[in-house]
């Protein structure tokens, strides 16, 4: 019995003392224990090292993803970084919504853009050079440094939004070719639609520009009109050197003297004038390719000739945050989940005609004959099992039109009748403004948003003569199907045709041989300048067709 008690006491002491000793060892001997115990050290490394590796790998992946994201958002070097992202979300987010372009900007074009950006930053509004150049326009004042090598082309606000966009792109191309700075009139409304394209500078013409109050009076008979001065033989090599500015009338109604702008001889005169004030509603780039002194450089800038507006449009025109919100909200709501997105831009220039049966038949014939949308059937076996290859697709059709008539017809057709392919067809129209309202801000916001949305589609149908459609086609790098213009409400056969290239049509080109001083067909001079599909007398840039 004594032995049993003794053993019990020993066990009790052991149970009390051992935990105390363990606590003391943990508190006071942790470091020395780990240092003398290889397994413990290895154990700590095993526990910590994987966490370090994961963190490092995650950081590298995130960094690489950020770099890839930046590279994609810069569109192959077309754009530069450095802008504040929150001031222009579209500049950094547009690539999320658009497929990568099949057209790559040339290295020479990229170098020209970087060079232009430096000139714009040096000579743009707010700089000493700009102030000196502006003094040349003020009566009885001269510049103390002859504008310090800075020359300008000022684009005057004119015509509808589509015309404005394509004409600004042309003016910018001309500015690059002639080492000028492009400034655009437009004020607050322009800034509300588009982000600034140039880093640390502005392309907006200052509100108090010395000639602004004269703009409304500028015309083909103005004292400083280039064409009228040619007509009256008031302009030559000596007289032009004393001019501070010239007005260039390059709108659709310009005359044969105004068109001398596209002659090398006149370009030699114009290069000495510090300020060129330009009114245009045309995409006149095709005729720049016919000016011998520009030909070589344009060829290096655009090896793919038919990509002029595609590259310059994506470089210059970034929707403002207000417009970008309209674009992204609509895209996410109606287009994002579709397997295929089809754009359908309908522009009937006779706004009072209402819904035309001929136009309706033309639209339906085009989209079905070209297999952009499936034909309809009266009966389909709803319970027939589908093979994986036959799984129906969701096709979203984005309709843009000033009225709802054509949208309602298409929507009803594809709701009330099954398609032969059993695809699900969704018809959507963002707005219906009734008629063009160029001076209204919200109208222009919606117009710009819809042009951009159309450019995000996979396939596009546009209306003949419409610069609205030209912008969408060019930004998207798409060869759209063009609905040919009807004459006298008669059916058109074929209803539509494929565009030769994504570039817009120059509606009012010159037909003049500057050297021979006689009229010629300027659509038959070089292989890359051809007559347009929708306007027989127009010119457009093409590649191999």
């Amino acid at each position: 019995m004594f032995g049993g008690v003794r053993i019990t006491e020993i066990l009790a002491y052991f149970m009390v003392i051992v935990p105390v000793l363990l606590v003391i060892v943990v508190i006071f001997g942790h470091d020395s224990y780990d240092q003398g115990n290889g397994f413990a050290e290895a154990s700590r490394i095993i526990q910590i090292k994987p966490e370090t590796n994961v963190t490092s790998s995650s950081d590298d992946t995130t960094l690489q993803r950020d770099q890839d994201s930046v590279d994609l958002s810069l569109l192959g070097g077309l754009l530069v970084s450095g802008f504040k992202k929150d001031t222009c979300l579209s500049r950094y987010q547009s690539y999320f919504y658009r497929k990568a372009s099949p057209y790559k900007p040339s290295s020479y074009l990229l170098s020209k853009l970087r060079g232009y950006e430096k000139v714009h930053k040096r000579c743009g509004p707010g700089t000493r050079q700009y102030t000196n150049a502006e003094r040349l326009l003020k009566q009885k004042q001269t510049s103390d440094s002859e504008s310090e090598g800075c020359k300008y082309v000022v684009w005057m606000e004119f015509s509808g939004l589509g015309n404005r966009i394509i004409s600004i792109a042309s003016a910018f191309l001309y500015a690059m070719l002639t080492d000028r700075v492009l400034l655009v009139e437009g004020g607050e409304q322009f800034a509300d639609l588009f982000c600034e394209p140039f880093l640390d500078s502005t392309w907006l013409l200052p509100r108090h520009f010395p000639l602004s109050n004269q703009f409304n009076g500028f015309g083909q008979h103005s004292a400083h009109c280039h064409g009228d001065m040619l007509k009256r033989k008031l302009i030559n090599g000596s007289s032009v050197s004393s001019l501070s500015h010239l007005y260039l009338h390059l709108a659709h109604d310009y005359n044969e003297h105004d068109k001398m702008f596209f002659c090398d001889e006149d370009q030699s005169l114009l290069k000495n004038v510090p300020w060129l004030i330009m009114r245009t509603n045309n995409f006149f780039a095709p005729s720049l390719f016919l000016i011998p002194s520009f030909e070589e450089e344009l060829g290096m800038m655009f090896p793919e000739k038919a990509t002029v507006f595609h590259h310059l449009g994506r470089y210059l025109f970034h929707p403002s945050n207000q417009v970008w919100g309209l674009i992204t909200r609509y895209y996410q709501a109606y287009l994002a989940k579709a397997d295929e997105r089809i754009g359908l831009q309908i522009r009937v220039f006779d706004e009072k005609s209402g819904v035309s049966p001929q136009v309706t038949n033309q639209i339906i014939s085009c989209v079905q004959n070209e297999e952009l949308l499936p034909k309809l059937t009266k009966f389909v076996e709803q319970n027939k099992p589908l093979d994986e290859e036959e799984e129906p697709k969701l096709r979203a059709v984005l309709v843009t039109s000033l009225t709802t008539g054509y949208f309602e017809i298409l929507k009803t057709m594809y709701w009330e009748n099954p398609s032969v392919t059993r695809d699900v067809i969704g018809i959507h129209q963002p707005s219906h403004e009734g008629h063009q309202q160029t001076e209204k801000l919200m109208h222009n916001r919606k117009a710009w948003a819809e042009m951009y949305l159309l450019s995000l589609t996979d396939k596009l149908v546009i209306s003949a003569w419409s610069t609205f459609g030209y912008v969408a086609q060019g930004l998207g790098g798409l060869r759209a199907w063009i609905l040919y213009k009807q004459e006298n409400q008669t059916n058109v056969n074929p209803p539509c045709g494929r565009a030769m290239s994504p570039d817009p049509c120059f509606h009012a080109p010159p037909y003049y041989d500057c050297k021979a001083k006689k009229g010629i067909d300027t659509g038959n001079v070089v292989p890359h300048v051809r007559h347009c599909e929708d306007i027989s007398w127009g010119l457009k840039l093409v590649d191999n067709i």
Side-chain angles (χ1 to χ4, degrees):
M1 182 176 180
F2 175 82
V5 173
R6 186 69 177 167
I7 292 171
T8 301
E9 290 176 350
I10 292 170
L11 287 173
Y13 288 135
F14 183 79
M15 293 176 67
V16 171
I17 293 171
V18 168
V20 174
L21 290 173
L22 286 173
V23 170
I24 293 171
V25 168
V26 169
I27 294 174
F28 296 102
H30 184 269
D31 290 342
S32 60
Y33 177 79
D34 279 355
Q35 289 171 4
N37 189 322
F39 177 78
E41 184 65 25
S43 174
R44 192 160 67 238
I45 292 171
I46 290 172
Q47 291 174 0
I48 294 173
K49 191 171 182 179
E51 292 180 5
T52 303
N53 286 345
V54 169
T55 302
S56 174
S57 176
S58 177
D59 287 344
D60 290 345
T61 302
T62 301
L63 179 61
Q64 185 61 49
R65 186 167 60 245
D66 289 344
Q67 289 174 342
D68 291 344
S69 176
V70 169
D71 291 341
L72 290 171
S73 70
L74 298 182
L75 308 182
L78 200 62
L79 308 180
V80 294
S81 59
F83 288 82
K84 293 182 179 179
K85 293 185 179 181
D86 59 349
T87 62
C88 187
L89 298 174
S90 64
R91 175 179 284 273
Y92 291 97
Q93 295 179 4
S94 63
Y95 79 96
F96 286 123
Y97 297 85
R98 191 190 302 285
K99 290 181 179 178
S101 172
Y103 306 106
K104 306 302 178 187
S106 69
S107 58
Y108 189 76
L109 174 60
L110 299 184
S111 69
K112 286 290 290 185
L113 290 171
R114 300 297 86 85
Y116 174 86
E117 289 157 3
K118 291 178 181 177
V119 173
H120 196 106
K121 187 174 182 178
R122 180 173 65 86
C123 299
T127 64
R128 185 190 75 251
Q129 291 86 339
Y130 176 84
T131 300
N132 287 335
E134 201 178 60
R135 288 188 185 131
L136 293 171
L137 300 172
K138 298 177 181 179
Q139 292 183 352
K140 299 179 181 180
Q141 293 193 41
T142 57
S143 171
D144 57 4
S145 55
E146 296 183 350
S147 78
E148 300 184 61
C150 296
K151 296 181 296 181
Y152 303 83
V153 56
V154 175
W155 174 89
M156 294 175 62
E157 189 174 32
F158 183 54
S159 201
L161 187 60
N163 295 80
R164 294 180 187 189
I165 290 173
I166 62 173
S167 62
I168 288 172
S170 301
F172 177 65
L173 177 60
Y174 179 70
M176 282 201 297
L177 290 169
T178 56
D179 297 318
R180 292 179 179 272
V181 169
L182 172 67
L183 298 176
V184 297
E185 183 193 18
E188 294 180 1
Q189 182 173 130
F190 200 90
D192 187 275
L193 297 174
F194 305 101
C195 300
E196 289 281 359
F198 310 124
L199 185 63
D200 298 329
S201 188
T202 182
W203 67 339
L204 296 178
L205 187 70
R207 182 180 301 177
H208 301 296
F209 182 66
L211 300 181
S212 291
N213 60 354
Q214 301 178 36
F215 279 1
N216 289 337
F218 280 173
Q220 290 172 284
H221 302 293
S222 300
H224 282 78
C225 178
H226 164 250
D228 192 60
M229 292 183 75
L230 281 177
K231 180 181 178 181
R232 294 189 290 150
K233 299 181 180 180
L234 298 177
I235 188 170
N236 53 49
S238 58
S239 65
V240 77
S241 61
S242 63
L243 295 174
S244 62
H245 71 281
L246 273 176
Y247 166 66
L248 304 173
H249 190 84
L250 301 179
H252 62 280
D253 60 349
Y254 62 164
N255 60 40
E256 65 270 21
H257 298 288
D258 300 317
K259 293 175 183 178
M260 293 299 105
F261 169 84
F262 295 103
C263 291
D264 248 338
E265 183 179 348
D266 284 75
Q267 285 302 317
S268 297
L269 295 175
L270 294 176
K271 69 181 181 181
N272 297 313
V273 182
W275 291 90
L276 298 178
I277 315 299
M278 179 184 293
R279 176 181 275 123
T280 179
N281 55 355
N282 282 306
F283 182 72
F284 59 79
S287 288
L288 295 180
F289 277 77
L290 300 179
I291 299 176
S293 58
F294 294 158
E295 190 174 7
E296 183 178 359
E297 188 163 23
L298 284 168
M300 292 189 292
M301 291 168 68
F302 301 100
E304 294 177 293
K305 306 295 190 298
T307 61
V308 172
F309 182 78
H310 178 59
H311 291 317
L312 298 188
R314 292 183 305 147
Y315 175 79
L316 290 172
F317 303 109
H318 305 279
S320 66
N321 286 352
Q322 294 90 334
V323 177
W324 189 240
L326 295 175
I327 294 167
T328 55
R329 287 191 294 271
Y330 199 90
Y331 187 94
Q332 294 295 345
Y334 300 104
L335 305 178
K337 295 180 181 179
D339 297 301
E340 186 176 53
R341 287 162 283 275
I342 295 113
L344 178 55
Q345 183 254 338
I346 303 170
R347 180 70 164 98
V348 179
F349 289 92
D350 183 5
E351 295 177 351
K352 297 180 181 179
S353 64
V355 175
S356 164
Q358 289 81 12
V359 173
T360 301
N361 291 334
Q362 180 184 11
I363 293 168
I364 295 170
S365 297
C366 175
V367 296
Q368 292 185 347
N369 293 348
E370 299 296 334
E371 299 183 349
L372 304 175
L373 288 179
K375 294 182 178 181
L376 302 176
T377 181
K378 294 296 182 182
F379 175 77
V380 66
E381 297 179 48
Q382 299 292 346
N383 297 321
K384 178 183 177 182
L386 289 170
D387 296 333
E388 288 187 7
E389 296 180 358
E390 297 178 342
E391 185 175 350
K393 292 181 179 180
L394 172 59
R395 300 194 197 185
V397 181
L398 175 71
V399 178
T400 66
S401 177
L402 290 171
T403 61
T404 61
Y406 301 104
F407 158 75
E408 293 291 351
I409 290 170
L410 290 169
K411 180 181 177 182
T412 301
M413 280 177 50
Y414 282 97
W415 180 33
E416 293 182 350
N417 303 282
S419 68
V420 294
T421 60
R422 304 178 73 177
D423 287 348
V424 178
I425 312 298
I427 312 291
H428 312 285
Q429 181 173 342
S431 72
H432 46 90
E433 296 288 281
H435 60 278
Q436 189 167 330
Q437 305 167 57
T438 301
E439 301 309 317
K440 290 189 177 181
L441 175 58
M442 184 50 71
H443 176 84
N444 283 333
R445 281 184 182 177
K446 291 177 181 178
W448 177 213
E450 290 182 14
M451 288 182 215
Y452 205 94
L453 282 166
L454 287 171
S455 79
L456 301 178
T457 57
D458 302 303
K459 297 175 181 177
L460 180 61
V461 180
I462 64 175
S463 295
W465 294 39
S466 175
T467 56
F468 192 107
Y470 292 165
V471 171
Q473 174 181 250
L475 289 177
L478 303 167
R479 287 178 55 220
W481 283 263
I482 301 175
L483 293 166
Y484 296 127
K485 193 174 186 296
Q486 295 192 2
E487 299 294 342
N488 301 320
Q489 295 294 310
T490 57
N491 290 322
V492 180
N493 188 25
C496 62
R498 195 79 185 270
M500 294 181 286
S501 74
D503 254 25
C505 175
F506 181 8
H507 285 184
Y511 281 88
Y512 187 71
D513 185 327
C514 299
K515 286 186 177 180
K517 299 187 183 304
K518 66 178 183 178
I520 60 166
D521 180 1
T522 48
N524 196 30
V525 176
V526 294
H528 48 275
V529 178
R530 286 284 178 257
H531 289 297
C532 307
E533 309 88 347
D534 53 336
I535 298 181
S536 60
W537 59 86
L539 295 181
K540 77 178 299 182
L541 291 162
V542 300
D543 287 302
N544 295 326
I545 56 173

